[in-house]
Amino acid sequence: MLGIETSCDETAVAVLKRGRVTAETIVAQNDLHADFGGVVPELASRQHARAITRSISDVLRQSQLSSPAKDLDGVAVTYGPGLAGSLMVGVSAAKALSLAWDVPLVAVDHMEGHLFAGTLMSPVDLPSLTLLVSGGHSQLIEITEPGRYVELGGTLDDAAGEAFDKVARLLGLSFPGGPEIERVALLGDGSYIRFPRALSGDTLDFSFSGLKTAVLRYLEIHGPVNVNDVAAAFQEAVVDALAHKVGMALRKREYRSVVIGGGVAANTLLRSRIEELCAAAGVKAVIPPKRLCTDNGAMIAAAGAFRLGLGQVAALDIGIDTSLSLA
Ligand code: KG4
Ligand code: ZN
């Protein structure tokens, strides 16, 4: 299965053979957007258009597929959610390949892709609890049978990754903010600053805009501060909030596995906190390697293989869906 991902600012293509990645390429655009503190849609789509053909030919060469038309089961592509112009580049390329090679086109939900990154590591035992945390989403999802997703909690305002990106900007760090905050937090001590935590009460929803405002107020009141300490305290607050909700969900029902996915799942503190929680609860933790947490083509190929197995082939006139929702 060929997987193509262009929903945001990574042109990512991979080939998956029997659940193993045999070729992959990721062209990131961080430098392009760094000065703006966020992804500029118009620049992103242009860069995808420049990179996509080369990316596809690179993975085909790496994977040593002698005849894609014969050797590929299908071409899977992200068709939403994401940026319209960016999605269109990947979808157009996938349609062209599907038509030229006469192989099935499979339309994949980007968030289902993040969810399937875990399956590239180990089987996901059901019922499963999945924490999806990316630049646009924070979701707690329950899976009781393959392909059926129930959202237990979602984003009320800023997504977790968005909070990392916005706070990084407040702290004068570059984009994307998550890895930057993680890097400087290692040098800091956040223990004497306590930012607000999760929404209280019984809800499994997430809210991070209050936390962002609290960081802003802190900076206004305290003037020039030690950025490393503020970053460490902020990271601690986000991870605490996420782990708290996962812990709450684990107490409500018995799960056989906990999966994490999305760019924020690359965060080392979050990974270790989830591992501890799962160990204490006696639940299997499925924590994909960091490169499979951020956007990549392999996760799209994996979700595509699942959808194709259900016979879900997309028509060649399929459109994009910028606000597609998994559950
Ligand atoms: O899943 P992803 O690559 O793209 C989207 O689907 O949005 O996630 C990107 C988000 C960004 O907000 C980025 O700051 C965050 O994931 N991120 C991290 C880390 N690496 C990426 N956040 C915290 N710690 C990290 N190590
Ligand atoms: Zn993503």
Side-chain angles (χ1 to χ4, degrees), residues 58-294:
D58 279 355
V59 296
L60 290 179
R61 197 172 328 107
Q62 273 180 49
S63 66
Q64 297 181 326
L65 286 180
S66 53
S67 165
K70 275 213 320 274
D71 297 342
L72 283 175
D73 288 341
V75 178
V77 64
T78 304
Y79 77 112
L83 302 170
S86 294
L87 288 166
M88 267 191 274
V89 174
V91 169
S92 304
K95 285 179 181 178
L97 297 174
S98 162
L99 187 64
W101 293 333
D102 193 23
V103 297
L105 175 70
V106 188
V108 172
D109 180 319
H110 180 77
M111 298 313 288
E112 188 170 43
H114 277 306
L115 202 145
F116 265 82
T119 65
L120 293 170
M121 295 305 305
S122 69
V124 171
D125 303 326
L126 303 182
S128 171
L129 179 69
T130 299
L131 176 69
L132 291 181
V133 271
S134 67
H137 294 78
S138 309
Q139 284 181 299
L140 256 182
I141 289 179
E142 177 176 281
I143 314 170
T144 42
E145 53 185 280
R148 271 214 48 206
Y149 309 116
V150 176
E151 186 182 84
L152 304 179
T155 318
L156 294 185
D157 38 58
D158 292 352
E162 194 178 354
F164 269 99
D165 295 336
K166 287 180 174 171
V167 166
R169 214 171 156 183
L170 293 178
L171 295 177
L173 301 169
S174 66
F175 176 83
E180 281 295 291
I181 288 192
E182 173 158 27
R183 182 178 63 79
V184 304
L186 276 176
L187 311 168
D189 172 9
S191 60
Y192 64 94
I193 314 170
R194 192 175 164 84
F195 290 127
R197 295 317 205 237
L199 285 178
S200 56
D202 201 33
T203 177
L204 291 173
D205 286 331
F206 302 98
S207 166
F208 291 110
S209 75
L211 172 57
K212 178 194 66 194
T213 309
V215 175
L216 181 63
R217 293 288 309 280
Y218 185 90
L219 296 174
E220 282 170 355
I221 293 167
H222 294 84
V225 289
N226 185 327
V227 166
N228 304 346
D229 293 347
V230 178
F234 164 77
Q235 177 177 252
E236 188 69 43
V238 176
V239 169
D240 242 17
L242 295 172
H244 176 70
K245 299 291 171 169
V246 171
M248 266 174 72
L250 286 178
R251 285 190 292 278
K252 283 178 190 253
R253 170 172 190 171
E254 259 187 39
Y255 293 98
R256 294 182 63 213
S257 64
V258 171
V259 184
I260 61 172
V264 182
N267 185 274
T268 306
L269 186 63
L270 177 63
R271 297 163 75 85
S272 60
R273 204 62 70 78
I274 296 293
E275 228 162 69
E276 284 163 22
L277 258 177
C278 290
V283 184
K284 176 175 166 184
V286 179
I287 300 183
K290 294 183 180 190
R291 67 185 167 82
L292 289 177
C293 290
T294 45

Side-chain angles (χ1 to χ4, degrees), residues 5 7-8 10 110-111 114 134-136 262-263 293-296 299:
E5 156 60 40
S7 68
C8 191
E10 263 107 17
H110 180 77
M111 298 313 288
H114 277 306
S134 67
C293 290
T294 45
D295 291 349
N296 63 87
M299 68 182 199

